Amino acid sequence: MTSLRDSRDETRAAGDPPRGRRPRPSTRHAPPAAAPERRIPGRRPGAARLERWLGNSPLGLVLTAPYTAYVLVVFIIPFGVGVWMAFHDYFFTAPGVSVPHPFVGFDNFTEVLGEEKTQRAFANLGLFMAINIPLTVVLALVLASALNAATHWRGFFRVAYYVPYVTASVATLAVWLFLFNGSGAVNKVLGPWAPDPSWLANKHLVMPLIAVYVTWKQLGFYILLYLAALQNVPKELHEAALTDGAGRRQAFRAVTLPAVRPVTSLVILLSIITAGQIFTEPFLLTGGGPSGASLTPALLVYQRGIEQGEPDAAAAIGLILVTGVLIIATVARRVMERD
């Protein structure tokens, strides 16, 4: 009798529930049950995989297909051919004539980088960027701020700033030739203070003049970018800064500049890309002169590849230009968009 009671006590001490009570399952730490996978009636098993590749709207791929083909044919394939030409001994031949084009490695790059003309072209491009990019950012931001604060004639000034951007370069360059040639209107106004040699014949003034022209022509587009960003800045922030005792310059520096910083990064990036492509202005104004003072890498690519018949050297210069622009644009973006 005693041994039976002792065995029951030991069983209860070991964790068995008392007689007449059923253990309740513990759900405190139980993982949630996985939801059953929903299947759309009539949907094939491969439809999910197809949707993953094409997206929710395959019609978008159909609509973008023409532009994709355009980029492939006009940009990607020619760029690939240019990269191949830069590493081979390539020259133009008559149609139907097949000649070998041996691989030469970096010989084309070594040749063009050792030439004074190439060095001068890239130095001119650096001078152009040093003038054009800061001038574009400052003028576009200042004029956009003034236009944003204006209450009258706002639409007129928007159109006036944007007209040079949409006007053909040939037409606007004709105006600048009329203004800045030897007997132009600017020299007549300056009289004895006119530079000698004149603007377009002066090797110290021609590249700054081209930089100012490109800044003026492209300014309307960047003004609209800044204006769109300024209109999204809450006016309460400026009012709060002025209420706290900040002046207009301090409010501009503390409120406006941080608000338009992403647009500033975009403006700098676009200005760098535009500078790398500068060709029309020096070609039509000076042809790269005087003495190579307005020669740019893009113009040098045209001269070496088309006029002189050296496409391999031209391709090497173009590849160096693309690489340099990508590096400068990447560094500028990292600097502008860091926290």
Side-chain angles (χ1 to χ4, degrees), residues 153-161:
W153 301 92
R154 181 179 297 182
F156 169 77
F157 285 113
R158 285 182 182 178
V159 175
Y161 290 144

Side-chain angles (χ1 to χ4, degrees), residues 7 36-37 74 97 102 121 151 168 194 279 293 303:
S7 61
E37 183 180 358
V74 178
V97 178
T151 57
F279 168 81
Q303 292 179 350

Side-chain angles (χ1 to χ4, degrees), residues 57-76:
S57 180
L59 182 61
L61 292 178
V62 177
L63 296 177
T64 58
Y67 184 75
T68 304
Y70 169 77
V71 172
L72 180 66
V73 174
V74 178
F75 292 100
I76 297 180

Side-chain angles (χ1 to χ4, degrees), residues 36-118:
E37 183 180 358
R38 297 179 60 184
R39 281 191 174 184
I40 301 177
R43 187 177 184 181
R44 298 179 179 180
R49 183 181 304 175
L50 185 63
E51 182 179 346
R52 190 182 306 115
W53 285 98
L54 300 181
N56 295 328
S57 180
L59 182 61
L61 292 178
V62 177
L63 296 177
T64 58
Y67 184 75
T68 304
Y70 169 77
V71 172
L72 180 66
V73 174
V74 178
F75 292 100
I76 297 180
I77 294 179
F79 180 76
V81 174
V83 172
W84 182 86
M85 289 167 55
F87 291 95
H88 291 77
D89 183 14
Y90 188 87
F91 51 91
F92 296 123
T93 58
V97 178
S98 178
V99 295
H101 300 291
F103 178 78
V104 295
F106 291 93
D107 291 349
N108 291 326
F109 297 90
T110 306
E111 177 186 352
V112 297
L113 287 176
E115 296 177 353
E116 182 181 358
K117 203 171 185 179
T118 305

Side-chain angles (χ1 to χ4, degrees), residues 139-148 150 152-167 214-225 227:
L139 289 180
L141 180 56
V142 170
L143 292 176
S145 300
L147 187 60
N148 188 48
H152 301 288
W153 301 92
R154 181 179 297 182
F156 169 77
F157 285 113
R158 285 182 182 178
V159 175
Y161 290 144
Y162 200 70
V163 164
Y165 178 75
V166 297
T167 305
V214 174
T215 301
W216 166 77
K217 192 176 189 309
Q218 304 287 334
L219 199 60
F221 174 69
Y222 300 126
I223 288 176
L224 292 183
L225 291 181
L227 186 60

Side-chain angles (χ1 to χ4, degrees), residues 1 4 11 17 36 41 66 80 118 181 210 239 241 267 308 325 328 331 334:
M1 196 72 179
L4 181 59
T11 305
T118 305
N181 59 17
I210 294 176
E239 296 175 356
V267 170
Q308 302 176 15
V325 169
I328 296 174
V331 172
R334 294 288 181 86

